[in-house]
Amino acid sequence: MKWYDKNRYPSKDQLTELALITGMTEKRVRIWFGNERIRRKKAANETMAPREPKSKAYPTKDQSAELALIPGITEDQVCKWFNKEKFNKERHLKGKSHTKEYNRLSSATKDHLMKWYGENEANPYPSSEEYIELALTTGMTVRRVRYWFANERMKRKKSANEIITPGEPK
């Protein structure tokens, strides 16, 4: 215990010295120090006041209502965009998973997203408002639009790299 109070992370020489004093192996001494650190951390956490929960990544009910004040947007749409739908018990009992199943994008949706990407190729990062607008016009969720843009940027970056440095034949 005295050794731990002096140094919670003993050096190799200190571990050897402690092993000789206690009659244990160096490995066993190192494990003891690790366990003691964990024990003391748990004891300190139990005496501390409980933490406040972390903020959620999704908008709160008030924030959803605030976004729904934008003309033409309902609170249900906001929840849908942020994939904040409740667990559907009936759907789960019917044997379907509670995660939403996505279909392939229609050609009109792809064309609309490609058009925006082409017009903004210098900076292909839509703002939050543009993501919402694209989600509204395409019928997709904001999350899915974000993933589409991330994937499209990676596809174009990869194809640009292949044109500059073509790979060797396999």
Side-chain angles (χ1 to χ4, degrees), residues 26-28 34 63 71 73 85 90 110 115 127 136 159:
E26 285 182 37
K27 184 177 181 181
R28 190 70 213 138
Q63 291 169 332
I73 300 175
E85 55 188 7
E90 292 171 15
K110 279 185 194 174
K115 181 182 173 193
S127 65
L136 267 176
S159 66

Side-chain angles (χ1 to χ4, degrees), residues 98-121:
H98 63 279
T99 57
K100 190 169 182 177
E101 296 173 15
Y102 291 111
N103 297 328
R104 290 187 164 271
L105 298 178
S106 68
S107 60
T109 300
K110 279 185 194 174
D111 292 343
H112 185 73
L113 294 172
M114 289 288 206
K115 181 182 173 193
W116 190 96
Y117 194 98
E119 291 171 356
N120 300 285
E121 201 158 0

Side-chain angles (χ1 to χ4, degrees), residues 154-168 170:
M154 289 308 294
K155 283 179 197 173
R156 292 193 183 206
K157 183 178 177 182
K158 189 176 180 180
S159 66
N161 287 343
E162 286 175 359
I163 292 171
I164 294 170
T165 57
E168 295 180 13
K170 294 181 181 178

Side-chain angles (χ1 to χ4, degrees), residues 20 38 41 48 65 78-79 85 96 117 124 129 141 144 150:
L20 289 172
I38 291 168
K41 188 174 182 180
M48 291 174 56
V78 173
C79 288
E85 55 188 7
K96 295 182 178 178
Y117 194 98
E129 293 82 19
T141 64
R144 191 167 182 201

Side-chain angles (χ1 to χ4, degrees), residues 62-137:
D62 296 335
Q63 291 169 332
S64 297
E66 209 173 285
L67 283 170
L69 293 176
I70 300 171
I73 300 175
T74 65
E75 193 172 336
D76 292 337
Q77 284 176 315
V78 173
C79 288
K80 181 184 169 193
W81 292 332
F82 289 97
N83 288 338
K84 190 183 176 187
E85 55 188 7
K86 303 278 187 220
F87 177 75
N88 190 334
K89 191 175 183 180
E90 292 171 15
R91 185 175 177 172
H92 182 71
L93 292 174
K94 289 178 185 173
K96 295 182 178 178
S97 71
H98 63 279
T99 57
K100 190 169 182 177
E101 296 173 15
Y102 291 111
N103 297 328
R104 290 187 164 271
L105 298 178
S106 68
S107 60
T109 300
K110 279 185 194 174
D111 292 343
H112 185 73
L113 294 172
M114 289 288 206
K115 181 182 173 193
W116 190 96
Y117 194 98
E119 291 171 356
N120 300 285
E121 201 158 0
N123 185 22
Y125 296 89
S127 65
S128 297
E129 293 82 19
E130 290 171 322
Y131 275 121
I132 292 173
E133 182 184 330
L134 288 166
L136 267 176
T137 56

Side-chain angles (χ1 to χ4, degrees), residues 37-53:
R37 284 191 296 269
I38 291 168
R39 269 185 249 136
R40 292 202 181 187
K41 188 174 182 180
K42 282 182 182 178
N45 285 343
E46 288 172 3
T47 59
M48 291 174 56
R51 288 185 185 176
E52 290 185 26

